Amino acid sequence: MSEERHIVIIDDEPDMLETCARVIHRMGYKCTTYEDSCEALEEIYRLQPDLIITDIKMPQCDGFEVLEKAKVCTPKARVIVITGYASVDSAVQAMKEGAYDYLSKPFPIEQLQLTINKALQHIALTEENQLLRAQLQEGLNTDNIIGARGGLQNVFETIGKISNSDASILILGESGTGKEVIARAIHKNSRRSTGPFIPVDCASLPENLLESELFGYERGAFTGANMTKQGLLEMAHGGTLFLDELGELTPAMQAKLLRTLEERAIRRVGGNRLINIDIRVLAATNRDLEKAIRAKEFREDLYYRINVITLKLPVLHERQQDIPLLVNHFCKKFSQDMHKKVNGFTPEAMKAMKSYLWPGNIRELRNVVERAISLSGSEMVEISDLPEKVIGEQKKILPEQENLGAFSFHEAKDIWLKRFEMEYLKELLDKHHGNITQAAKSAGMDRKTIHRLMNKYDLQRGS
């Protein structure tokens, strides 16, 4: 809003300052003026203005110094330079160095107003774009998309492409990987974002209740149906229906759902009237639906109706680089919720968090961080604040070969892989005397992968 905008004017001519300030106040913006450009430079960081209007030719600090200082101290501000010499060269130089626009003295009031409005509109547009990106990031990050630049980069990029499509999407991933969070992000950033987002847990209700919940019912349809009730499919009209744990639907419910998706219409339980619905369907499961199809447990036609686009979410231990980001995110959240001053995890505690396999994925990590913040008696979470299962993972990260049988197949596989990665990386770095470029070339790997593995196992070049 206009009253929130703050404009700073710097000019060694008092008359120019007074005229500009009068115009800006009339436009409804806050205005601060400086004759002394050096004083202005000292105050810019504190004021954090939206717009700076500065003369170029001044006796102490000139407009180029103001421009350079502004880029460092208040990078979001736009700078308009004024030149009394109609010097095209100086104006071009200022634009090259980051000025938004320039004015040549003398200029009419209308031109000043137009230039200010253009600059503030540009700021507003930039802020709006940043807000939209932040909303997408928030939708993806709400508990989960932290670290999208890492292990979820491909998922994040795909979401950007598919959000505005009406294609059905199947989200695959283990329990706790954040499938519903991803679904909400897709909805939030789609053209249906103003419509409802209706989640349905297909595994939590028996078939008879799920049918009435999904399709609704007419009054008198069954004992206890004292009034007509809309179903979740009908409630999702104009928005998005999210079918969680799709693989748990019974064959009968699969058939009814398929008919609904093909006809885009529903019939309430006990009713005869068809009700048209306009919905986008997102579904999620941790089951192997192709295997279920082969076992005659899931309808192939429903699978292809829903699985137009597939999103596969990685498990947390495949997102090693994201674990510290998630830990710090939840640490900040729970510290605020519990009104405790906990600033982070000690290096030893963080190392234990990175070493643990996280079979429960982000949901389990969130639980562990919440527990640690509750138990912590200092400003840093100590390793003693973590549960034994997390601490113990460090001890078994590279166990003796004969001990692998003590673990489940998946745990043993992960442990063996970690042992292989560490031993291979040590030998590779030793062979090339710590030269990462040569090591990467020899191994047919990317340098970034070498660095990631070195960080993962706390290896130095000379290790």
Side-chain angles (χ1 to χ4, degrees):
M1 296 177 64
S2 63
E3 62 267 25
E4 296 174 347
R5 297 301 186 190
H6 186 185
I7 301 174
V8 165
I9 312 172
I10 309 168
D11 199 305
D12 58 335
E13 298 180 17
D15 290 345
M16 175 62 68
L17 287 178
E18 184 180 348
T19 300
C20 290
R22 191 183 308 117
V23 171
I24 290 167
H25 284 306
R26 267 206 311 267
M27 294 174 72
Y29 303 117
K30 181 179 178 181
C31 180
T32 305
T33 61
Y34 292 96
E35 281 186 57
D36 187 331
S37 54
C38 293
E39 180 188 356
L41 289 179
E42 293 175 359
E43 291 293 305
I44 282 175
Y45 179 79
R46 180 182 64 82
L47 295 175
Q48 290 295 304
D50 299 285
L51 181 62
I52 299 170
I53 302 174
T54 178
D55 195 3
I56 288 183
K57 191 77 171 179
M58 291 182 287
Q60 295 172 310
C61 305
D62 65 17
F64 292 106
E65 291 180 74
V66 173
L67 182 57
E68 183 179 358
K69 178 81 170 181
K71 285 192 291 187
V72 176
C73 294
T74 174
K76 294 182 180 179
R78 302 297 184 275
V79 178
I80 297 171
V81 295
I82 300 172
T83 172
Y85 299 90
S87 169
V88 175
D89 289 342
S90 61
V92 169
Q93 182 186 346
M95 298 288 280
K96 284 182 178 179
E97 293 186 15
Y100 172 76
D101 206 343
Y102 72 94
L103 292 167
S104 297
K105 294 180 183 177
F107 47 81
I109 289 175
E110 292 78 9
Q111 186 181 0
L112 174 64
Q113 291 173 322
L114 178 63
T115 306
I116 289 173
N117 281 332
K118 279 174 55 183
L120 294 181
Q121 285 170 8
H122 188 264
I123 292 171
L125 181 60
T126 301
E127 289 174 345
E128 184 179 350
N129 288 337
Q130 289 172 343
L131 177 61
L132 289 172
R133 284 197 296 270
Q135 287 173 341
L136 173 61
Q137 186 74 9
E138 179 188 354
L140 296 168
N141 271 352
T142 307
D143 298 352
N144 194 352
I145 199 63
I146 305 297
R149 292 184 298 261
L152 285 181
Q153 181 64 42
N154 290 338
V155 174
F156 188 79
E157 290 174 354
T158 303
I159 289 172
K161 296 174 183 176
I162 64 179
S163 287
N164 274 318
S165 163
D166 262 349
S168 299
I169 299 170
L170 181 62
I171 305 170
L172 304 175
E174 290 185 8
S175 177
T177 50
K179 296 186 289 294
E180 183 172 341
V181 174
I182 294 295
R184 288 183 181 275
I186 293 169
H187 168 74
K188 183 183 290 187
N189 295 279
S190 74
R191 64 179 183 83
R192 295 176 177 270
S193 59
T194 56
F197 177 88
I198 305 295
V200 181
D201 187 348
C202 300
S204 64
L205 295 171
E207 182 178 352
N208 60 329
L209 289 179
L210 182 59
E211 181 180 12
S212 61
E213 283 294 310
L214 274 176
F215 295 93
Y217 52 82
E218 297 289 348
R219 181 179 180 182
F222 49 82
T223 303
N226 301 319
M227 57 183 293
T228 296
K229 180 184 176 182
Q230 273 191 340
L232 297 175
L233 284 159
E234 196 174 343
M235 291 169 61
H237 180 74
T240 303
L241 181 76
F242 173 57
L243 299 168
D244 198 10
E245 301 302 342
L246 176 74
E248 303 305 314
L249 286 178
T250 64
M253 283 303 301
Q254 291 175 35
K256 291 176 181 177
L257 178 61
L258 177 63
R259 178 177 288 275
T260 295
L261 297 182
E262 288 177 340
E263 297 179 354
R264 296 288 163 171
I266 60 143
R267 185 181 287 109
R268 294 178 186 148
V269 176
N272 296 314
R273 181 171 61 96
L274 279 176
I275 301 170
N276 293 325
I277 55 172
D278 170 27
I279 60 173
R280 183 188 194 176
V281 177
L282 308 178
T285 183
N286 58 14
R287 288 190 65 187
D288 184 340
L289 292 187
E290 292 185 354
K291 183 178 178 181
I293 290 170
R294 291 193 296 271
K296 306 298 183 184
E297 296 172 353
F298 198 85
R299 294 182 63 109
E300 187 175 16
D301 44 6
L302 177 59
Y303 175 74
Y304 288 116
R305 169 65 67 174
I306 287 180
N307 188 26
V308 177
I309 299 170
T310 304
L311 274 179
K312 182 166 176 51
L313 305 188
V315 293
L316 184 55
H317 71 77
E318 292 176 356
R319 297 170 52 193
Q320 190 76 23
Q321 66 273 52
D322 293 346
I323 289 174
L325 301 175
L326 285 159
V327 169
N328 291 331
H329 169 73
F330 288 125
C331 180
K332 181 178 180 181
K333 169 181 168 51
F334 291 122
S335 297
Q336 291 175 345
D337 291 349
M338 299 178 195
H339 304 289
K340 297 183 74 173
K341 190 177 180 182
V342 180
N343 297 324
F345 280 48
T346 65
E348 188 181 14
M350 185 64 80
K351 186 175 180 180
M353 297 290 280
K354 290 173 67 178
S355 298
Y356 184 57
L357 295 177
W358 300 109
N361 294 295
I362 295 164
R363 189 177 293 131
E364 183 184 12
L365 182 142
R366 175 190 174 114
N367 179 272
V368 167
V369 175
E370 184 175 11
R371 174 189 184 275
I373 300 299
S374 299
L375 295 176
S376 179
S378 64
E379 292 188 2
M380 299 293 288
V381 170
E382 305 283 349
I383 195 166
S384 58
D385 298 322
L386 302 179
E388 181 61 33
K389 63 180 181 179
V390 175
I391 300 171
E393 191 73 21
Q394 275 190 292
K395 300 173 185 175
K396 68 179 187 180
I397 184 171
L398 294 173
E400 294 301 321
Q401 187 73 29
E402 59 267 26
N403 291 335
L404 288 178
F407 308 112
S408 71
F409 171 78
H410 291 294
E411 286 181 326
K413 181 180 176 183
D414 285 323
I415 292 166
W416 182 88
L417 179 60
K418 286 184 177 182
R419 177 166 54 230
F420 164 76
E421 286 180 337
M422 178 180 279
E423 291 177 356
Y424 178 82
L425 190 61
K426 277 184 176 180
E427 291 184 16
L428 183 67
L429 291 171
D430 287 342
K431 177 182 176 182
H432 296 283
H433 308 291
N435 187 311
I436 293 176
T437 300
Q438 291 180 8
K441 185 177 180 180
S442 171
M445 300 166 68
D446 188 88
R447 281 173 51 88
K448 292 180 181 178
T449 303
I450 298 282
H451 280 293
R452 179 178 63 79
L453 290 173
M454 288 175 66
N455 290 332
K456 179 177 179 179
Y457 297 114
D458 293 324
L459 292 178
Q460 303 300 319
R461 295 187 186 209
S463 296

